[in-house]
Amino acid sequence: MEARIDRIILTGFSNKNEPGGVFMVAKGEKTLYRKAFGKANLELNSDMTPEQVFQIGSMTKQFAAVAILMLEQQGKLSVNDPVSK
């Protein structure tokens, strides 16, 4: 399984000198795959590690917005509801 996942990831992260990423596959509580590829910082020439800390900033807002709209479509909430709901 590890080789198969590596092949999939390496289609986009084959160059070790480009920005990289960290990938994990888990089932329940068990980690099945965890690896890092590429560079964490190009200026400092530092490699990505599985323990890498990411500064995600405002990147998650778009996902929260989509989730809210999906819940509204399902009738589970309204965009006019207070946040406390």
Side-chain angles (χ1 to χ4, degrees):
M1 180 180 72
E2 182 177 341
R4 190 170 170 209
I5 295 171
D6 282 347
R7 278 194 305 277
I8 293 167
I9 293 170
L10 287 171
T11 61
F13 291 89
S14 60
N15 188 335
K16 295 178 181 177
N17 295 312
E18 289 182 353
V22 176
F23 300 86
M24 184 177 89
V25 176
K27 184 174 183 178
E29 298 288 321
K30 186 176 180 185
T31 299
L32 304 174
Y33 179 93
R34 186 171 177 238
K35 281 189 182 179
F37 297 85
K39 297 291 181 190
N41 187 310
L42 298 177
E43 288 182 46
L44 301 175
N45 195 35
S46 58
D47 291 332
M48 191 70 73
T49 67
E51 294 77 25
Q52 197 72 38
V53 175
F54 293 91
Q55 302 294 325
I56 62 171
S58 295
M59 290 177 53
T60 57
K61 288 178 185 168
Q62 62 211 16
F63 300 106
V66 170
I68 290 166
L69 294 174
M70 289 173 72
L71 289 169
E72 183 179 48
Q73 270 187 330
Q74 296 169 11
K76 296 180 179 177
L77 61 75
S78 167
V79 292
N80 295 318
D81 288 341
V83 173
S84 60
K85 184 177 179 186

